[in-house]
Amino acid sequence: MSLRLHDTSTRTVRDFVPLRPGEVSLYLCGATVQAQPHIGHIRSGVNFDILRRWFLHNDYRVVFCRNVTDIDDKIINVARGEGIEWWEVSERNQRAFTHAYDSLGCLPPTVEPRATGHVPEMIELMRRLIDRGHAYAPGDGSGDVYFDVRSFAEYGALSNQRLDHMRAAGDTDVEQEREKRDPRDFALWKGARPGEPCWDTPWGAGRPGWHLECSAMATKYLGGTFDIHGGGVDLVFPHHENEIAQSKAAGDGFARYWLHNGLLSVGGEKMSKSIGNSLLIPEMVRRIRPVELRYYLGQPHYRSVIDYSEEALTEAAAAYQRLEGFVQRASEVCGPTPPTSYVPRAFSEALDDDLGTPAAFAVVHSAVRDGNAALADGAKERAATTLAEVRAMLGVLGLDPLSSQWASGEGTGLREVVDALVAVALEQRQAARARKDFPAADAIRDQLTEAGVTVEDTPQGARWELKRG
Ligand SMILES: [Zn+2]
């Protein structure tokens, strides 16, 4: 593997050399779980999953940490609006995110730490920063702790800005602003406000600043220095700039490569909430199969902007179906054909060139055209060789139709069809019972049981599930 990656911190494409041979440590800023995931949120999940799979294909061990920000102003506001606890909001949305990542075939993270589970690590990091003169607590026991941006000469390097040109951090209210040494100082820890959740620290009770938690968790799970830090390009400033400031000022090496994926826009504009609702993952997978959605998000280069359109989505689905069609036809003709352990050189070169997925996908399509020609010629052996290579490439992209992820028919809409059919049968059974025709009602249940559907009568009505095994 001779991978080259575009590093935001150097603004160049440079050779990737891992810290430890044969192992890659990867940190991805995960969700702030204030709402359901839309495709803009999940894009980074898919992009970094392809990178991870590329490393795995090249026999690297990958330690992948993706955090969850489970406390934040917006989460608190949502909870207030609904009259529920902040952790109910976090739990609910974290489950929705996990489900969305899973349904799009993203491998689960090695570790998925939550902010509120890492307060001791954050206190320790603040202590180091205060001891080194890079952070301060105003000394009133308010719980506020700030990073002193003027104490850190490299501040602004990642986002290529000069301190004099930066605006105020704007992360506190007017009163707190007066505590700051410089308006650009950002909050490491936010002092408790009445009625809000808080945790004790030596500087007063409060809750984590968003930036601090990522530094603390990345360091805990990946070490003071690790390989790759990723996230959406909207996180470069202030989030990642601040992570670097915190960790480097505390004496850690922190991330050696910074990778940022482009955003998803709609009509050339940042996704608005109203449009965003129709692009929620649970909504989208009703209109398009999850595997096709993965194709749609994974095919464009990770650094490009995806401007969402229904047409492009439909085209992506059709393009995936061409690949899938070949894999299915060739498997029927050639019999079971496992993927090769290697991928064609052009595919390798494409991914090694800053994860060039557009070129890599083009290689797959070209192979599929050859494979279709082989099938048309009745050249079974050639078709089988192509099939094995196509499956290997699609495996790296997380799109192999015959992999366990996609072959089960999950998300193909079959479940919905079964749901509807069972509902019809249960209605008929209910009608039979209502007219006291119990033999007919029992017969319907027996037929369902025979088909593998077990029915259970509960106070809320009949529930059913598919018998396993
Ligand atoms: Zn982060």
Side-chain angles (χ1 to χ4, degrees):
M1 185 186 215
S2 49
L3 178 64
R4 294 167 61 73
L5 292 171
H6 182 274
D7 180 0
T8 311
S9 67
T10 58
R11 284 170 280 280
T12 57
V13 176
R14 61 191 186 98
D15 290 334
F16 175 76
V17 183
L19 190 59
R20 284 176 286 274
E23 185 180 308
V24 177
S25 43
L26 178 56
Y27 186 89
L28 177 62
C29 287
T32 299
V33 283
Q34 77 213 31
Q36 295 246 329
H38 57 60
I39 53 171
H41 293 124
I42 299 298
R43 182 184 182 186
S44 74
V46 171
N47 289 154
F48 284 91
D49 187 61
I50 294 174
L51 177 65
R52 184 179 176 191
R53 285 170 186 264
W54 185 227
F55 281 123
L56 293 173
H57 177 84
N58 285 281
D59 297 324
Y60 281 85
R61 169 180 142 79
V62 181
V63 182
F64 178 49
C65 180
R66 185 182 64 215
N67 74 298
V68 175
T69 298
D70 62 340
I71 188 76
D72 148 275
D73 286 336
K74 294 182 205 105
I75 292 169
I76 294 171
N77 288 339
V78 172
R80 276 204 185 121
E82 292 185 32
I84 56 175
E85 296 287 344
W86 63 272
W87 39 262
E88 292 184 67
V89 175
S90 302
E91 285 288 346
R92 178 178 76 197
N93 292 317
Q94 187 181 346
R95 271 199 302 279
F97 267 87
T98 300
H99 187 258
Y101 287 125
D102 286 351
S103 69
L104 265 67
C106 297
L107 301 171
T110 319
V111 60
E112 191 166 34
R114 293 177 180 208
T116 56
H118 296 77
V119 171
E121 288 82 356
M122 294 184 229
I123 293 175
E124 194 259 341
L125 182 52
M126 286 193 282
R127 162 99 51 213
R128 281 158 73 198
L129 287 168
I130 290 174
D131 288 350
R132 287 168 162 251
H134 291 291
Y136 57 96
D140 52 3
S142 67
D144 295 321
V145 182
Y146 300 107
F147 186 89
D148 183 341
V149 293
R150 280 180 299 184
S151 75
F152 183 65
E154 287 174 47
Y155 193 67
L158 181 73
S159 55
N160 200 18
Q161 301 182 79
R162 286 177 41 173
L163 188 59
D164 332 334
H165 298 162
M166 284 184 206
R167 274 183 289 177
D171 56 355
T172 44
D173 59 31
V174 182
E175 209 171 296
Q176 287 167 312
E177 281 303 314
R178 272 188 243 122
E179 305 175 331
K180 288 187 179 181
R181 291 179 188 164
D182 186 297
R184 290 156 298 199
D185 290 352
F186 58 89
L188 296 171
W189 196 260
K190 297 183 168 188
R193 278 177 248 158
E196 287 190 358
C198 60
W199 289 259
D200 281 332
T201 76
W203 310 281
R207 60 188 164 86
W210 174 33
H211 319 301
L212 185 69
E213 53 189 76
C214 279
S215 282
M217 292 187 278
T219 307
K220 168 160 180 161
Y221 294 101
L222 304 180
T225 304
F226 59 92
D227 292 309
I228 299 173
H229 193 311
V233 71
D234 54 337
L235 298 183
V236 171
F237 188 85
H239 186 50
H240 290 165
E241 193 76 72
N242 293 353
E243 283 186 36
I244 291 176
Q246 294 160 165
S247 289
K248 290 204 168 174
D252 291 332
F254 212 50
R256 300 167 60 243
Y257 297 82
W258 285 87
L259 260 59
H260 289 99
N261 62 277
L263 301 184
L264 196 127
S265 64
V266 179
E269 281 172 42
K270 210 176 162 201
M271 219 150 81
S272 69
K273 203 168 177 202
S274 54
I275 303 171
N277 281 342
S278 68
L279 300 183
L280 293 177
I281 299 291
E283 290 301 317
M284 296 219 53
V285 297
R286 271 188 244 269
R287 308 202 295 273
I288 183 173
R289 288 185 300 163
V291 66
E292 293 162 352
L293 187 53
R294 183 182 170 97
Y295 183 105
Y296 173 72
L297 293 174
Q299 190 273 342
H301 192 265
Y302 76 92
R303 284 196 286 123
S304 68
V305 174
I306 297 183
D307 192 34
Y308 177 80
S309 74
E310 288 287 333
E311 299 79 61
L313 191 65
T314 311
E315 273 169 34
Y320 178 73
Q321 286 161 21
R322 283 199 292 279
L323 306 179
E324 185 184 38
F326 165 72
V327 170
Q328 281 166 352
R329 278 192 305 278
S331 298
E332 279 161 25
V333 172
C334 308
T337 309
T340 51
S341 58
Y342 64 89
V343 290
R345 191 162 163 181
F347 181 85
S348 241
E349 285 174 353
L351 288 187
D352 273 349
D353 180 15
D354 192 27
L355 210 65
T357 48
F361 275 67
V363 175
V364 182
H365 277 284
S366 150
V368 162
R369 279 192 294 275
D370 292 348
N372 281 329
L375 285 176
D377 294 347
K380 208 164 135 181
E381 216 165 287
R382 217 169 80 218
T385 309
T386 308
L387 172 60
E389 287 184 353
V390 165
R391 286 196 64 196
M393 292 188 280
L394 288 175
V396 170
L397 302 170
L399 291 167
D400 179 6
L402 301 181
S403 66
S404 57
Q405 170 81 27
W406 309 117
S408 68
E410 282 282 336
T412 55
L414 270 183
R415 173 82 199 186
E416 287 76 7
V417 174
V418 173
D419 239 337
L421 291 174
V422 173
V424 168
L426 289 178
E427 265 170 42
Q428 289 179 352
R429 175 169 168 259
Q430 193 50 39
R433 285 173 136 198
R435 60 174 193 270
K436 306 228 183 303
D437 183 353
F438 296 110
D442 288 348
I444 291 173
R445 177 150 85 173
D446 291 346
Q447 280 175 311
L448 285 171
T449 308
E450 198 141 303
V453 177
T454 48
V455 178
E456 189 196 344
D457 290 303
T458 74
Q460 289 79 38
R463 279 186 42 221
W464 68 273
E465 58 181 14
L466 280 178
K467 230 180 354 196
R468 299 274 165 203

